[in-house]
Amino acid sequence: MNILVWHVHGSWMTAFIHGRHRYLVPVDDERGPYGLGRARTYRWPYSAVEVTPDELASTDIDVVVLQRPEELPLARAWLGDRNVPTVYVEHNTPKGDVPSTRHPMADRDDVRLVHVTHFNELFWDNGATRTAVIEHGIVPPVAEYSGDLERIAIVTNEPVRRGRVTGTDLMGRFGPVAPLDVFGMGTDGLPDALGLSPDTIATYNASQDEMHTEIARRRLYLHLTRWTSLGLSLIEAMAIGLPVVALATTEVVRAVPEGAGIVSTKVDDLVDAARWLIEDPDAAQRLGQAGSAAAKERYDLDRFLFDWDRLLEETCTSR
């Protein structure tokens, strides 16, 4: 198939374009939010091809995969009057009047709505729109866990701006346990925002491969996000073999089954768990191995691509 799909979420897109299709990724001169083109910090196969809006007018498209409401009118403008099967992927938890938030694609018969977690499908009001859940898949990380640094890894974007959403206000409670290393975009100014010294919390902005290599050396992975769909960095950390300590919110309780990590809504429990893993590297290794097995089974790339192939074929056939 020729699939029109925008580059929005790098980790999800990296897995999606590993399928057997041709993925047409819009690009413009500014490389803005609707013309970002190919990724520069992820390993992408050559099946992902950059295409300009002008080129799309004469390009065969079998299916459109949307990820933002604004892409629907863009696709119609760029593709002309063609009636192309359309799928909308919802990556996010609902905002506003949860759990009564109406999805932007609710009550439509021209779009198939796909959620990336069962939690999201449950909490969005989807109306009468046909929905499906295709859980994440990940490209297996190359890095392997060593845990030789008695430090805590966190991966999050824009923790200063997003604040309570990313659990930024909770990070300082783990400072007495071990230094925190926060990886992600928009992390500048985090120590000052929390009133912590650079010795207590350090920030890094690295490519995906570099980030995997670095977090693999940290003793444990800490996930403090209160309200997110499901951070792929959590799954990647588990696959690498890091033991995870996480807030039991949204889809985390499904992603981290019993025995594969420490999850709780009581922050003191998580602080105690982090201290235990820092002090007991053998326990950290055992917990990380269990988490790695769980992540590789549930978020297998081949399963993810098979589920998507089946849904895309169903969508095109029904249209």
Side-chain angles (χ1 to χ4, degrees):
M1 294 183 184
N2 282 341
I3 301 173
L4 173 61
V5 57
W6 279 260
H7 175 191
V8 181
H9 296 280
S11 293
W12 180 88
M13 186 73 160
T14 299
F16 185 69
I17 62 174
H18 270 76
R20 55 191 177 91
H21 309 290
R22 185 167 177 255
Y23 305 89
L24 304 175
V25 185
V27 65
D28 57 32
D29 292 339
E30 294 78 23
R31 290 191 177 268
Y34 300 99
L36 193 56
R38 285 177 56 92
R40 298 178 178 181
T41 57
Y42 292 81
R43 292 177 285 119
W44 278 18
Y46 291 110
S47 54
V49 179
E50 291 184 345
V51 59
T52 67
D54 290 340
E55 292 170 333
L56 282 170
S58 58
T59 301
D60 289 334
I61 305 293
D62 295 299
V63 63
V64 178
V65 175
L66 308 172
Q67 300 168 76
R68 295 166 292 186
E70 301 81 14
E71 294 171 0
L72 183 58
L74 278 181
R76 289 177 173 171
W78 294 351
L79 300 179
D81 295 329
R82 285 179 284 174
N83 186 14
V84 182
T86 303
V87 173
Y88 188 103
V89 182
E90 180 52 71
H91 294 281
N92 300 315
T93 47
K95 305 296 188 292
D97 185 20
V98 180
S100 300
T101 311
R102 292 274 291 174
H103 195 276
M105 297 295 130
D107 292 326
R108 300 189 68 111
D109 60 6
D110 59 342
V111 174
R112 183 77 180 273
L113 178 55
V114 178
H115 291 283
V116 297
T117 70
H118 293 278
F119 182 93
N120 285 5
E121 185 186 42
L122 175 67
F123 270 73
W124 277 105
D125 177 2
N126 304 300
T129 303
R130 291 181 65 206
T131 65
V133 176
I134 297 182
E135 294 188 284
H136 287 299
I138 61 168
V139 177
V142 176
E144 296 182 0
Y145 175 71
S146 67
D148 57 292
L149 297 180
E150 294 182 355
R151 303 177 71 90
I152 298 171
I154 299 174
V155 179
T156 188
N157 290 329
E158 301 188 58
V160 177
R161 180 183 67 83
R162 297 168 70 195
R164 285 179 56 83
V165 170
T166 53
T168 306
D169 57 303
L170 304 175
M171 292 180 184
R173 295 175 64 172
F174 294 83
V177 176
L180 284 73
D181 292 328
V182 183
F183 297 82
M185 298 181 293
T187 57
D188 293 342
L190 181 59
D192 289 341
L194 294 176
L196 299 175
S197 73
D199 292 334
T200 301
I201 186 167
T203 62
Y204 305 87
N205 188 357
S207 70
Q208 187 185 45
D209 287 344
E210 292 169 341
M211 182 265 290
H212 287 167
T213 299
E214 287 301 318
I215 67 171
R217 298 191 61 201
R218 275 62 184 175
R219 181 63 53 82
L220 65 107
Y221 184 86
L222 181 62
H223 182 80
L224 295 175
T225 306
R226 284 184 173 92
W227 191 246
T228 188
S229 176
L230 178 62
L232 279 170
S233 56
L234 171 66
I235 302 171
E236 291 165 354
M238 291 175 64
I240 289 169
L242 279 98
V244 299
V245 174
L247 282 177
T249 56
T250 64
E251 192 78 357
V252 168
V253 293
R254 179 172 170 83
V256 187
E258 185 176 356
I262 307 298
V263 298
S264 178
T265 55
K266 185 178 179 182
V267 179
D268 286 344
D269 288 346
L270 302 185
V271 172
D272 290 342
R275 183 175 292 107
W276 166 53
L277 295 171
I278 288 291
E279 296 174 352
D280 191 339
D282 291 337
Q285 186 85 31
R286 291 194 301 271
L287 193 67
Q289 289 173 349
S292 179
K296 290 175 180 177
E297 179 180 2
R298 173 157 290 158
Y299 302 106
D300 176 68
L301 181 63
D302 288 339
R303 188 274 309 157
F304 172 79
L305 295 173
F306 175 82
D307 288 350
W308 267 107
D309 278 351
R310 182 171 55 186
L311 183 132
L312 292 172
E313 289 167 5
E314 289 175 357
T315 302
C316 291
T317 300
S318 64
R319 177 58 62 91

